[in-house]
Amino acid sequence: MKVRVLFFARLREQLGSASEEVELEPGASLETLRAHLAARGGPWGEALKPGRNLRAAVNQDMAAPETPLKGGDEVAFFPPVTGG
């Protein structure tokens, strides 16, 4: 299945990419997707490694790591945001 992945703020800068389509096995979760991307190593491994504080949304709804994905989903990764 294919999902569209969006990267925001410093992630976009670190990865040199604003978006891409990723092929995953059926039944993959948000955590599976993050691990798949981090396994690329280099800046991907650093930016998306476990323990790195990131937020994620699936189809514009905030999502937990165990959230299941389905073909055609839009996933967004972004750093936590603070306001003043």
Side-chain angles (χ1 to χ4, degrees):
M1 71 175 175
K2 283 189 180 183
V3 296
R4 182 163 188 237
V5 186
L6 307 174
F7 306 103
F8 290 96
R10 70 173 163 76
L11 282 177
R12 178 177 26 209
E13 294 168 12
Q14 279 181 290
L15 303 175
S17 177
S19 69
E20 68 176 84
E21 287 204 2
V22 176
E23 184 75 33
L24 296 170
E25 294 292 323
S29 67
L30 184 57
E31 186 173 37
T32 306
L33 170 61
R34 185 171 171 171
H36 173 81
L37 294 170
R40 294 176 176 177
W44 294 89
E46 183 61 31
L48 298 163
K49 71 181 174 184
R52 175 75 61 174
N53 192 13
L54 293 177
R55 302 291 306 218
V58 177
N59 300 323
Q60 299 183 6
D61 289 323
M62 297 307 293
E66 62 275 3
T67 301
L69 300 175
K70 59 188 181 313
D73 279 349
E74 180 183 80
V75 178
F77 287 108
F78 49 94
V81 183
T82 61

PDB file of all heavy atoms in Angstrom, residues 34-72:
ATOM      1  N   ARG A  34       7.581   5.127  10.524  1.00  0.00           N
ATOM      2  CA  ARG A  34       8.713   5.892  11.068  1.00  0.00           C
ATOM      3  C   ARG A  34       9.978   5.049  11.069  1.00  0.00           C
ATOM      4  O   ARG A  34      11.053   5.518  10.676  1.00  0.00           O
ATOM      5  CB  ARG A  34       8.376   6.387  12.469  1.00  0.00           C
ATOM      6  CG  ARG A  34       9.426   7.274  13.060  1.00  0.00           C
ATOM      7  CD  ARG A  34       8.952   7.897  14.345  1.00  0.00           C
ATOM      8  NE  ARG A  34      10.048   8.576  15.019  1.00  0.00           N
ATOM      9  CZ  ARG A  34       9.902   9.338  16.064  1.00  0.00           C
ATOM     10  NH1 ARG A  34       8.709   9.533  16.584  1.00  0.00           N
ATOM     11  NH2 ARG A  34      10.954   9.914  16.622  1.00  0.00           N
ATOM     12  N   ALA A  35       9.888   3.789  11.488  1.00  0.00           N
ATOM     13  CA  ALA A  35      11.045   2.894  11.508  1.00  0.00           C
ATOM     14  C   ALA A  35      11.561   2.651  10.090  1.00  0.00           C
ATOM     15  O   ALA A  35      12.780   2.606   9.853  1.00  0.00           O
ATOM     16  CB  ALA A  35      10.694   1.577  12.181  1.00  0.00           C
ATOM     17  N   HIS A  36      10.645   2.497   9.140  1.00  0.00           N
ATOM     18  CA  HIS A  36      11.012   2.279   7.731  1.00  0.00           C
ATOM     19  C   HIS A  36      11.824   3.468   7.211  1.00  0.00           C
ATOM     20  O   HIS A  36      12.857   3.288   6.556  1.00  0.00           O
ATOM     21  CB  HIS A  36       9.734   2.082   6.915  1.00  0.00           C
ATOM     22  CG  HIS A  36       9.940   2.020   5.441  1.00  0.00           C
ATOM     23  ND1 HIS A  36      10.355   0.870   4.799  1.00  0.00           N
ATOM     24  CD2 HIS A  36       9.797   2.957   4.477  1.00  0.00           C
ATOM     25  CE1 HIS A  36      10.449   1.121   3.497  1.00  0.00           C
ATOM     26  NE2 HIS A  36      10.119   2.376   3.282  1.00  0.00           N
ATOM     27  N   LEU A  37      11.375   4.673   7.510  1.00  0.00           N
ATOM     28  CA  LEU A  37      12.087   5.864   7.059  1.00  0.00           C
ATOM     29  C   LEU A  37      13.419   6.026   7.775  1.00  0.00           C
ATOM     30  O   LEU A  37      14.434   6.365   7.161  1.00  0.00           O
ATOM     31  CB  LEU A  37      11.212   7.104   7.264  1.00  0.00           C
ATOM     32  CG  LEU A  37       9.942   7.165   6.414  1.00  0.00           C
ATOM     33  CD1 LEU A  37       9.042   8.300   6.885  1.00  0.00           C
ATOM     34  CD2 LEU A  37      10.269   7.299   4.939  1.00  0.00           C
ATOM     35  N   ALA A  38      13.450   5.785   9.083  1.00  0.00           N
ATOM     36  CA  ALA A  38      14.685   5.918   9.864  1.00  0.00           C
ATOM     37  C   ALA A  38      15.749   4.922   9.405  1.00  0.00           C
ATOM     38  O   ALA A  38      16.944   5.210   9.478  1.00  0.00           O
ATOM     39  CB  ALA A  38      14.390   5.736  11.349  1.00  0.00           C
ATOM     40  N   ALA A  39      15.318   3.760   8.907  1.00  0.00           N
ATOM     41  CA  ALA A  39      16.253   2.724   8.462  1.00  0.00           C
ATOM     42  C   ALA A  39      17.074   3.163   7.252  1.00  0.00           C
ATOM     43  O   ALA A  39      18.081   2.527   6.926  1.00  0.00           O
ATOM     44  CB  ALA A  39      15.495   1.434   8.145  1.00  0.00           C
ATOM     45  N   ARG A  40      16.704   4.249   6.626  1.00  0.00           N
ATOM     46  CA  ARG A  40      17.498   4.769   5.501  1.00  0.00           C
ATOM     47  C   ARG A  40      18.864   5.261   5.973  1.00  0.00           C
ATOM     48  O   ARG A  40      19.771   5.425   5.179  1.00  0.00           O
ATOM     49  CB  ARG A  40      16.757   5.922   4.822  1.00  0.00           C
ATOM     50  CG  ARG A  40      15.486   5.510   4.147  1.00  0.00           C
ATOM     51  CD  ARG A  40      14.772   6.705   3.597  1.00  0.00           C
ATOM     52  NE  ARG A  40      13.588   6.312   2.846  1.00  0.00           N
ATOM     53  CZ  ARG A  40      12.743   7.164   2.296  1.00  0.00           C
ATOM     54  NH1 ARG A  40      12.970   8.470   2.395  1.00  0.00           N
ATOM     55  NH2 ARG A  40      11.693   6.730   1.646  1.00  0.00           N
ATOM     56  N   GLY A  41      18.973   5.551   7.266  1.00  0.00           N
ATOM     57  CA  GLY A  41      20.236   6.028   7.819  1.00  0.00           C
ATOM     58  C   GLY A  41      20.486   7.490   7.505  1.00  0.00           C
ATOM     59  O   GLY A  41      19.609   8.192   7.014  1.00  0.00           O
ATOM     60  N   GLY A  42      21.691   7.940   7.784  1.00  0.00           N
ATOM     61  CA  GLY A  42      22.070   9.334   7.528  1.00  0.00           C
ATOM     62  C   GLY A  42      21.126  10.296   8.221  1.00  0.00           C
ATOM     63  O   GLY A  42      20.710  10.063   9.361  1.00  0.00           O
ATOM     64  N   PRO A  43      20.744  11.374   7.534  1.00  0.00           N
ATOM     65  CA  PRO A  43      19.850  12.348   8.164  1.00  0.00           C
ATOM     66  C   PRO A  43      18.486  11.753   8.508  1.00  0.00           C
ATOM     67  O   PRO A  43      17.846  12.164   9.460  1.00  0.00           O
ATOM     68  CB  PRO A  43      19.728  13.470   7.137  1.00  0.00           C
ATOM     69  CG  PRO A  43      20.253  12.933   5.865  1.00  0.00           C
ATOM     70  CD  PRO A  43      21.160  11.788   6.200  1.00  0.00           C
ATOM     71  N   TRP A  44      18.043  10.755   7.732  1.00  0.00           N
ATOM     72  CA  TRP A  44      16.757  10.100   8.015  1.00  0.00           C
ATOM     73  C   TRP A  44      16.814   9.381   9.359  1.00  0.00           C
ATOM     74  O   TRP A  44      15.904   9.487  10.170  1.00  0.00           O
ATOM     75  CB  TRP A  44      16.411   9.112   6.904  1.00  0.00           C
ATOM     76  CG  TRP A  44      16.160   9.783   5.603  1.00  0.00           C
ATOM     77  CD1 TRP A  44      17.085  10.082   4.651  1.00  0.00           C
ATOM     78  CD2 TRP A  44      14.918  10.278   5.120  1.00  0.00           C
ATOM     79  NE1 TRP A  44      16.491  10.729   3.596  1.00  0.00           N
ATOM     80  CE2 TRP A  44      15.162  10.851   3.854  1.00  0.00           C
ATOM     81  CE3 TRP A  44      13.624  10.271   5.624  1.00  0.00           C
ATOM     82  CZ2 TRP A  44      14.136  11.423   3.093  1.00  0.00           C
ATOM     83  CZ3 TRP A  44      12.611  10.837   4.863  1.00  0.00           C
ATOM     84  CH2 TRP A  44      12.874  11.409   3.622  1.00  0.00           C
ATOM     85  N   GLY A  45      17.879   8.636   9.567  1.00  0.00           N
ATOM     86  CA  GLY A  45      18.031   7.901  10.817  1.00  0.00           C
ATOM     87  C   GLY A  45      18.110   8.828  12.013  1.00  0.00           C
ATOM     88  O   GLY A  45      17.538   8.552  13.067  1.00  0.00           O
ATOM     89  N   GLU A  46      18.805   9.938  11.848  1.00  0.00           N
ATOM     90  CA  GLU A  46      18.949  10.905  12.939  1.00  0.00           C
ATOM     91  C   GLU A  46      17.622  11.613  13.228  1.00  0.00           C
ATOM     92  O   GLU A  46      17.204  11.733  14.378  1.00  0.00           O
ATOM     93  CB  GLU A  46      20.030  11.932  12.597  1.00  0.00           C
ATOM     94  CG  GLU A  46      20.301  12.928  13.685  1.00  0.00           C
ATOM     95  CD  GLU A  46      20.783  12.319  14.990  1.00  0.00           C
ATOM     96  OE1 GLU A  46      21.452  11.262  14.969  1.00  0.00           O
ATOM     97  OE2 GLU A  46      20.481  12.896  16.047  1.00  0.00           O
ATOM     98  N   ALA A  47      16.956  12.086  12.201  1.00  0.00           N
ATOM     99  CA  ALA A  47      15.728  12.871  12.381  1.00  0.00           C
ATOM    100  C   ALA A  47      14.561  12.041  12.907  1.00  0.00           C
ATOM    101  O   ALA A  47      13.716  12.553  13.642  1.00  0.00           O
ATOM    102  CB  ALA A  47      15.342  13.522  11.052  1.00  0.00           C
ATOM    103  N   LEU A  48      14.496  10.769  12.532  1.00  0.00           N
ATOM    104  CA  LEU A  48      13.328   9.947  12.851  1.00  0.00           C
ATOM    105  C   LEU A  48      13.608   8.820  13.834  1.00  0.00           C
ATOM    106  O   LEU A  48      12.753   7.968  14.063  1.00  0.00           O
ATOM    107  CB  LEU A  48      12.754   9.369  11.548  1.00  0.00           C
ATOM    108  CG  LEU A  48      12.258  10.436  10.569  1.00  0.00           C
ATOM    109  CD1 LEU A  48      12.092   9.849   9.178  1.00  0.00           C
ATOM    110  CD2 LEU A  48      10.980  11.065  11.055  1.00  0.00           C
ATOM    111  N   LYS A  49      14.793   8.831  14.451  1.00  0.00           N
ATOM    112  CA  LYS A  49      15.157   7.738  15.345  1.00  0.00           C
ATOM    113  C   LYS A  49      14.201   7.640  16.532  1.00  0.00           C
ATOM    114  O   LYS A  49      13.607   8.642  16.949  1.00  0.00           O
ATOM    115  CB  LYS A  49      16.599   7.885  15.818  1.00  0.00           C
ATOM    116  CG  LYS A  49      16.837   9.011  16.793  1.00  0.00           C
ATOM    117  CD  LYS A  49      18.308   9.071  17.159  1.00  0.00           C
ATOM    118  CE  LYS A  49      18.594  10.289  18.028  1.00  0.00           C
ATOM    119  NZ  LYS A  49      20.012  10.397  18.309  1.00  0.00           N
ATOM    120  N   PRO A  50      14.059   6.439  17.085  1.00  0.00           N
ATOM    121  CA  PRO A  50      13.208   6.271  18.267  1.00  0.00           C
ATOM    122  C   PRO A  50      13.697   7.177  19.396  1.00  0.00           C
ATOM    123  O   PRO A  50      14.886   7.402  19.552  1.00  0.00           O
ATOM    124  CB  PRO A  50      13.400   4.795  18.633  1.00  0.00           C
ATOM    125  CG  PRO A  50      13.848   4.146  17.372  1.00  0.00           C
ATOM    126  CD  PRO A  50      14.647   5.180  16.633  1.00  0.00           C
ATOM    127  N   GLY A  51      12.762   7.692  20.132  1.00  0.00           N
ATOM    128  CA  GLY A  51      13.103   8.585  21.230  1.00  0.00           C
ATOM    129  C   GLY A  51      13.147  10.053  20.831  1.00  0.00           C
ATOM    130  O   GLY A  51      13.099  10.926  21.682  1.00  0.00           O
ATOM    131  N   ARG A  52      13.251  10.324  19.536  1.00  0.00           N
ATOM    132  CA  ARG A  52      13.236  11.708  19.051  1.00  0.00           C
ATOM    133  C   ARG A  52      11.809  12.234  19.216  1.00  0.00           C
ATOM    134  O   ARG A  52      10.860  11.583  18.828  1.00  0.00           O
ATOM    135  CB  ARG A  52      13.664  11.754  17.590  1.00  0.00           C
ATOM    136  CG  ARG A  52      13.591  13.089  16.917  1.00  0.00           C
ATOM    137  CD  ARG A  52      14.662  14.028  17.291  1.00  0.00           C
ATOM    138  NE  ARG A  52      15.959  13.474  16.929  1.00  0.00           N
ATOM    139  CZ  ARG A  52      17.078  14.139  17.041  1.00  0.00           C
ATOM    140  NH1 ARG A  52      17.075  15.365  17.486  1.00  0.00           N
ATOM    141  NH2 ARG A  52      18.207  13.589  16.730  1.00  0.00           N
ATOM    142  N   ASN A  53      11.683  13.394  19.834  1.00  0.00           N
ATOM    143  CA  ASN A  53      10.367  13.965  20.103  1.00  0.00           C
ATOM    144  C   ASN A  53       9.772  14.535  18.822  1.00  0.00           C
ATOM    145  O   ASN A  53      10.175  15.596  18.358  1.00  0.00           O
ATOM    146  CB  ASN A  53      10.479  15.051  21.183  1.00  0.00           C
ATOM    147  CG  ASN A  53       9.136  15.483  21.708  1.00  0.00           C
ATOM    148  OD1 ASN A  53       8.129  14.835  21.455  1.00  0.00           O
ATOM    149  ND2 ASN A  53       9.124  16.566  22.436  1.00  0.00           N
ATOM    150  N   LEU A  54       8.825  13.797  18.240  1.00  0.00           N
ATOM    151  CA  LEU A  54       8.127  14.224  17.029  1.00  0.00           C
ATOM    152  C   LEU A  54       6.633  14.036  17.221  1.00  0.00           C
ATOM    153  O   LEU A  54       6.204  13.165  17.975  1.00  0.00           O
ATOM    154  CB  LEU A  54       8.562  13.385  15.820  1.00  0.00           C
ATOM    155  CG  LEU A  54       9.976  13.530  15.331  1.00  0.00           C
ATOM    156  CD1 LEU A  54      10.224  12.572  14.177  1.00  0.00           C
ATOM    157  CD2 LEU A  54      10.248  14.957  14.884  1.00  0.00           C
ATOM    158  N   ARG A  55       5.869  14.810  16.512  1.00  0.00           N
ATOM    159  CA  ARG A  55       4.422  14.649  16.477  1.00  0.00           C
ATOM    160  C   ARG A  55       4.065  14.089  15.112  1.00  0.00           C
ATOM    161  O   ARG A  55       4.826  14.237  14.154  1.00  0.00           O
ATOM    162  CB  ARG A  55       3.730  16.003  16.683  1.00  0.00           C
ATOM    163  CG  ARG A  55       4.082  16.721  17.961  1.00  0.00           C
ATOM    164  CD  ARG A  55       3.541  16.024  19.178  1.00  0.00           C
ATOM    165  NE  ARG A  55       2.120  15.819  19.016  1.00  0.00           N
ATOM    166  CZ  ARG A  55       1.217  15.910  19.955  1.00  0.00           C
ATOM    167  NH1 ARG A  55       1.584  16.205  21.168  1.00  0.00           N
ATOM    168  NH2 ARG A  55      -0.053  15.705  19.717  1.00  0.00           N
ATOM    169  N   ALA A  56       2.896  13.464  15.038  1.00  0.00           N
ATOM    170  CA  ALA A  56       2.450  12.922  13.762  1.00  0.00           C
ATOM    171  C   ALA A  56       0.940  13.044  13.651  1.00  0.00           C
ATOM    172  O   ALA A  56       0.225  13.004  14.653  1.00  0.00           O
ATOM    173  CB  ALA A  56       2.867  11.464  13.626  1.00  0.00           C
ATOM    174  N   ALA A  57       0.490  13.184  12.438  1.00  0.00           N
ATOM    175  CA  ALA A  57      -0.936  13.224  12.145  1.00  0.00           C
ATOM    176  C   ALA A  57      -1.207  12.304  10.965  1.00  0.00           C
ATOM    177  O   ALA A  57      -0.378  12.176  10.064  1.00  0.00           O
ATOM    178  CB  ALA A  57      -1.378  14.644  11.814  1.00  0.00           C
ATOM    179  N   VAL A  58      -2.347  11.659  11.001  1.00  0.00           N
ATOM    180  CA  VAL A  58      -2.805  10.830   9.886  1.00  0.00           C
ATOM    181  C   VAL A  58      -4.113  11.446   9.395  1.00  0.00           C
ATOM    182  O   VAL A  58      -5.064  11.599  10.171  1.00  0.00           O
ATOM    183  CB  VAL A  58      -3.013   9.361  10.310  1.00  0.00           C
ATOM    184  CG1 VAL A  58      -3.565   8.542   9.150  1.00  0.00           C
ATOM    185  CG2 VAL A  58      -1.703   8.761  10.816  1.00  0.00           C
ATOM    186  N   ASN A  59      -4.127  11.822   8.133  1.00  0.00           N
ATOM    187  CA  ASN A  59      -5.292  12.479   7.540  1.00  0.00           C
ATOM    188  C   ASN A  59      -5.735  13.681   8.379  1.00  0.00           C
ATOM    189  O   ASN A  59      -6.916  13.880   8.646  1.00  0.00           O
ATOM    190  CB  ASN A  59      -6.427  11.484   7.323  1.00  0.00           C
ATOM    191  CG  ASN A  59      -6.005  10.367   6.392  1.00  0.00           C
ATOM    192  OD1 ASN A  59      -5.274  10.581   5.440  1.00  0.00           O
ATOM    193  ND2 ASN A  59      -6.430   9.160   6.690  1.00  0.00           N
ATOM    194  N   GLN A  60      -4.754  14.454   8.835  1.00  0.00           N
ATOM    195  CA  GLN A  60      -4.913  15.705   9.568  1.00  0.00           C
ATOM    196  C   GLN A  60      -5.470  15.535  10.979  1.00  0.00           C
ATOM    197  O   GLN A  60      -5.921  16.496  11.589  1.00  0.00           O
ATOM    198  CB  GLN A  60      -5.759  16.695   8.769  1.00  0.00           C
ATOM    199  CG  GLN A  60      -5.109  17.039   7.443  1.00  0.00           C
ATOM    200  CD  GLN A  60      -5.885  18.067   6.645  1.00  0.00           C
ATOM    201  OE1 GLN A  60      -6.862  18.636   7.104  1.00  0.00           O
ATOM    202  NE2 GLN A  60      -5.426  18.324   5.440  1.00  0.00           N
ATOM    203  N   ASP A  61      -5.437  14.316  11.518  1.00  0.00           N
ATOM    204  CA  ASP A  61      -5.804  14.065  12.906  1.00  0.00           C
ATOM    205  C   ASP A  61      -4.569  13.588  13.650  1.00  0.00           C
ATOM    206  O   ASP A  61      -3.869  12.683  13.168  1.00  0.00           O
ATOM    207  CB  ASP A  61      -6.891  12.987  13.005  1.00  0.00           C
ATOM    208  CG  ASP A  61      -8.243  13.459  12.501  1.00  0.00           C
ATOM    209  OD1 ASP A  61      -8.576  14.644  12.727  1.00  0.00           O
ATOM    210  OD2 ASP A  61      -8.969  12.658  11.888  1.00  0.00           O
ATOM    211  N   MET A  62      -4.299  14.166  14.816  1.00  0.00           N
ATOM    212  CA  MET A  62      -3.159  13.731  15.614  1.00  0.00           C
ATOM    213  C   MET A  62      -3.248  12.222  15.830  1.00  0.00           C
ATOM    214  O   MET A  62      -4.347  11.686  16.021  1.00  0.00           O
ATOM    215  CB  MET A  62      -3.120  14.461  16.951  1.00  0.00           C
ATOM    216  CG  MET A  62      -2.934  15.971  16.806  1.00  0.00           C
ATOM    217  SD  MET A  62      -1.514  16.440  15.801  1.00  0.00           S
ATOM    218  CE  MET A  62      -0.192  15.866  16.828  1.00  0.00           C
ATOM    219  N   ALA A  63      -2.098  11.556  15.794  1.00  0.00           N
ATOM    220  CA  ALA A  63      -2.093  10.093  15.841  1.00  0.00           C
ATOM    221  C   ALA A  63      -1.006   9.563  16.761  1.00  0.00           C
ATOM    222  O   ALA A  63       0.058  10.165  16.902  1.00  0.00           O
ATOM    223  CB  ALA A  63      -1.897   9.540  14.429  1.00  0.00           C
ATOM    224  N   ALA A  64      -1.286   8.419  17.360  1.00  0.00           N
ATOM    225  CA  ALA A  64      -0.339   7.709  18.223  1.00  0.00           C
ATOM    226  C   ALA A  64       0.493   6.754  17.372  1.00  0.00           C
ATOM    227  O   ALA A  64       0.083   6.380  16.267  1.00  0.00           O
ATOM    228  CB  ALA A  64      -1.106   6.932  19.281  1.00  0.00           C
ATOM    229  N   PRO A  65       1.653   6.337  17.873  1.00  0.00           N
ATOM    230  CA  PRO A  65       2.518   5.433  17.106  1.00  0.00           C
ATOM    231  C   PRO A  65       1.821   4.152  16.637  1.00  0.00           C
ATOM    232  O   PRO A  65       2.117   3.646  15.558  1.00  0.00           O
ATOM    233  CB  PRO A  65       3.652   5.104  18.072  1.00  0.00           C
ATOM    234  CG  PRO A  65       3.705   6.276  18.990  1.00  0.00           C
ATOM    235  CD  PRO A  65       2.276   6.724  19.140  1.00  0.00           C
ATOM    236  N   GLU A  66       0.892   3.631  17.422  1.00  0.00           N
ATOM    237  CA  GLU A  66       0.232   2.376  17.059  1.00  0.00           C
ATOM    238  C   GLU A  66      -0.921   2.548  16.065  1.00  0.00           C
ATOM    239  O   GLU A  66      -1.557   1.574  15.655  1.00  0.00           O
ATOM    240  CB  GLU A  66      -0.268   1.663  18.314  1.00  0.00           C
ATOM    241  CG  GLU A  66      -1.305   2.412  19.112  1.00  0.00           C
ATOM    242  CD  GLU A  66      -0.733   3.419  20.109  1.00  0.00           C
ATOM    243  OE1 GLU A  66       0.493   3.631  20.186  1.00  0.00           O
ATOM    244  OE2 GLU A  66      -1.555   4.029  20.808  1.00  0.00           O
ATOM    245  N   THR A  67      -1.184   3.772  15.622  1.00  0.00           N
ATOM    246  CA  THR A  67      -2.262   4.033  14.669  1.00  0.00           C
ATOM    247  C   THR A  67      -2.041   3.241  13.386  1.00  0.00           C
ATOM    248  O   THR A  67      -0.987   3.360  12.756  1.00  0.00           O
ATOM    249  CB  THR A  67      -2.348   5.534  14.348  1.00  0.00           C
ATOM    250  OG1 THR A  67      -2.577   6.250  15.560  1.00  0.00           O
ATOM    251  CG2 THR A  67      -3.434   5.832  13.343  1.00  0.00           C
ATOM    252  N   PRO A  68      -3.018   2.425  12.982  1.00  0.00           N
ATOM    253  CA  PRO A  68      -2.869   1.670  11.731  1.00  0.00           C
ATOM    254  C   PRO A  68      -3.012   2.596  10.526  1.00  0.00           C
ATOM    255  O   PRO A  68      -3.760   3.570  10.558  1.00  0.00           O
ATOM    256  CB  PRO A  68      -4.009   0.651  11.789  1.00  0.00           C
ATOM    257  CG  PRO A  68      -5.021   1.235  12.721  1.00  0.00           C
ATOM    258  CD  PRO A  68      -4.273   2.116  13.672  1.00  0.00           C
ATOM    259  N   LEU A  69      -2.293   2.271   9.470  1.00  0.00           N
ATOM    260  CA  LEU A  69      -2.355   3.040   8.231  1.00  0.00           C
ATOM    261  C   LEU A  69      -3.054   2.216   7.166  1.00  0.00           C
ATOM    262  O   LEU A  69      -3.040   0.980   7.204  1.00  0.00           O
ATOM    263  CB  LEU A  69      -0.947   3.399   7.764  1.00  0.00           C
ATOM    264  CG  LEU A  69      -0.115   4.235   8.732  1.00  0.00           C
ATOM    265  CD1 LEU A  69       1.299   4.416   8.184  1.00  0.00           C
ATOM    266  CD2 LEU A  69      -0.777   5.578   9.002  1.00  0.00           C
ATOM    267  N   LYS A  70      -3.645   2.928   6.204  1.00  0.00           N
ATOM    268  CA  LYS A  70      -4.244   2.250   5.052  1.00  0.00           C
ATOM    269  C   LYS A  70      -3.823   2.979   3.783  1.00  0.00           C
ATOM    270  O   LYS A  70      -3.405   4.141   3.842  1.00  0.00           O
ATOM    271  CB  LYS A  70      -5.757   2.166   5.198  1.00  0.00           C
ATOM    272  CG  LYS A  70      -6.458   3.472   5.325  1.00  0.00           C
ATOM    273  CD  LYS A  70      -7.931   3.255   5.651  1.00  0.00           C
ATOM    274  CE  LYS A  70      -8.697   4.542   5.778  1.00  0.00           C
ATOM    275  NZ  LYS A  70      -8.128   5.575   6.571  1.00  0.00           N
ATOM    276  N   GLY A  71      -3.902   2.294   2.676  1.00  0.00           N
ATOM    277  CA  GLY A  71      -3.509   2.888   1.412  1.00  0.00           C
ATOM    278  C   GLY A  71      -4.213   4.207   1.166  1.00  0.00           C
ATOM    279  O   GLY A  71      -5.410   4.337   1.422  1.00  0.00           O
ATOM    280  N   GLY A  72      -3.456   5.203   0.713  1.00  0.00           N
ATOM    281  CA  GLY A  72      -4.000   6.514   0.419  1.00  0.00           C
ATOM    282  C   GLY A  72      -3.967   7.483   1.580  1.00  0.00           C
ATOM    283  O   GLY A  72      -4.298   8.657   1.409  1.00  0.00           O
TER     284      GLY A  72
END
